[in-house]
Amino acid sequence: MNVRRHAFTLIELLVVIAIIAILIGLLLPAVQKVREAAARASCTNNLKQIGVALHNYHSVYNTFPVGSTPLGFTVISQLLPYIEQNNLYNQINFTVSATDPSNSGPTGTTIKTLLCPSDIIPLPPPGLGGNNYFANYGTAVQFFQNSSIANGVFALRDTKGISVLGITDGSSNTAAFSELKKGDYNNAVYSPADWLNASSLGAPTTPDQAYALCEGISTSNLGYQWLSAGGEWLNDSNTGTAYTHVGLPNSINCGFPATLTFDVNASSYHIGGVNVLLCDGSVRFILSSIDLPTWRGLGTRAGGEIVSLP
């Protein structure tokens, strides 16, 4: 007897392959959304830990830490004992400059809590620990000044921190920290987190001037490139640890070094916005399309603005 063997015809095989391809095409975006949702949740948790640390610090000293000390040690370095990093804190020599060679070991140490899982840029070169979470300097464009000029919650090279009582706009309406993409650590290549040197464009004196000048820079002109962000968490030099509410989230960063004025905007690889830690310890996801006055109001501690977050 002849046994008839059943098999797919070529047309049937092609149909099956096409169906599988369609299913994969439908599945991949869903998988990516789930992965991003998990990464965003992890990022939110990192910021909440920083928020708890800030309030524990405040409970001890009755103020939040300064944005950086006169010797250049950042707010993060002051919070280490409150994010379970006591051993690392004890390795830091706070009696010398933050950039002193004696602090090279801590400077190059990576802290997982300070890294957003969504950031696609690898860790920085050896010697730099990396950081995605920056302190709110406010809408004042001049850096390296005390809290009499900086109108956010933190100020660089300051001697006294801000207390909750000093946040008259309300702790639930004032940003404490937000995200910043790590740079590419290569001045021959532009990445969205890089700061662009805008010295030749003049010296802005208002947030509007700084924002307009920065947005007018061509990112293809690497002659303006200055440095990359997010390289380290210990000192306030070079890669910075403060961001401003001058421009909207995910807009261009630039600096005017001649006058120490900057427009360093919050940024992330999350879809459509950034996570923001508020001074009450809560974390909100803020869209990049937020109204600019509302975003700037969120950045000031005592500006009297009426902030209504969606």
Side-chain angles (χ1 to χ4, degrees):
M1 296 177 60
N2 292 329
V3 179
R4 189 173 183 181
R5 301 180 63 184
H6 296 280
F8 285 113
T9 65
L10 179 59
I11 293 177
E12 290 173 331
L13 182 61
L14 291 174
V15 170
V16 170
I17 292 174
I19 292 173
I20 292 174
I22 291 172
L23 291 175
I24 292 174
L26 294 173
L27 183 62
L28 280 178
V31 171
Q32 290 172 344
K33 285 183 179 179
V34 170
R35 184 181 297 141
E36 166 54 21
R40 197 169 110 183
S42 178
C43 177
T44 297
N45 185 59
N46 289 343
L47 281 168
K48 285 183 177 179
Q49 289 186 60
I50 293 174
V52 170
L54 283 172
H55 281 272
N56 286 338
Y57 183 101
H58 194 287
S59 296
V60 174
Y61 297 101
N62 294 319
T63 70
F64 290 131
V66 294
S68 67
T69 69
L71 290 175
F73 292 98
T74 68
V75 55
I76 291 293
S77 66
Q78 299 164 71
L79 290 176
L80 290 179
Y82 305 95
I83 56 173
E84 300 181 350
Q85 295 291 334
N86 296 71
N87 291 336
L88 185 57
Y89 180 83
N90 292 332
Q91 295 175 34
I92 299 174
N93 184 355
F94 286 99
T95 64
V96 297
S97 169
T99 57
D100 190 87
S102 64
N103 288 313
S104 60
T107 300
T109 301
T110 296
I111 303 173
K112 186 177 180 181
T113 304
L114 302 181
L115 300 175
C116 174
S118 292
D119 195 324
I120 61 175
I121 300 296
L123 286 173
L128 299 175
N131 179 36
N132 282 119
Y133 304 118
F134 282 47
N136 168 29
Y137 186 81
T139 61
V141 294
Q142 189 169 33
F143 271 20
F144 295 103
Q145 297 292 335
N146 60 35
S147 54
S148 64
I149 294 178
N151 57 10
V153 179
F154 303 97
L156 301 182
R157 304 297 171 107
D158 208 355
T159 57
K160 185 178 180 181
I162 300 297
S163 73
V164 170
L165 294 177
I167 305 174
T168 58
D169 285 348
S171 60
S172 62
N173 293 322
T174 306
F177 272 74
S178 189
E179 304 178 75
L180 205 76
K181 296 175 181 177
K182 295 196 302 295
D184 52 35
Y185 317 109
N186 184 344
N187 281 337
V189 179
Y190 172 77
S191 78
D194 289 342
W195 298 5
L196 302 175
N197 186 341
S199 293
S200 63
L201 300 182
T205 58
T206 68
D208 284 336
Q209 291 174 0
Y211 189 33
L213 288 172
C214 293
E215 287 298 297
I217 293 177
S218 171
T219 56
S220 62
N221 183 354
L222 294 181
Y224 284 121
Q225 189 162 358
W226 185 29
L227 48 78
S228 299
E232 58 185 292
W233 52 264
L234 186 141
N235 75 72
D236 63 13
S237 300
N238 299 323
T239 57
T241 54
Y243 81 100
T244 68
H245 280 250
V246 172
L248 289 172
N250 291 307
S251 54
I252 295 173
N253 300 318
C254 71
F256 306 82
T259 53
L260 293 177
T261 52
F262 296 87
D263 176 10
V264 182
N265 302 306
S267 60
S268 81
Y269 285 100
H270 304 305
I271 299 172
V274 296
N275 282 316
V276 175
L277 168 67
L278 301 177
C279 290
D280 64 359
S282 64
V283 177
R284 299 287 298 271
F285 187 74
I286 305 297
L287 296 178
S288 300
S289 58
I290 186 173
D291 179 65
L292 183 56
T294 300
W295 176 247
R296 287 182 177 171
L298 193 65
T300 63
R301 68 178 186 272
E305 306 93 344
I306 298 176
V307 176
S308 179
L309 294 177

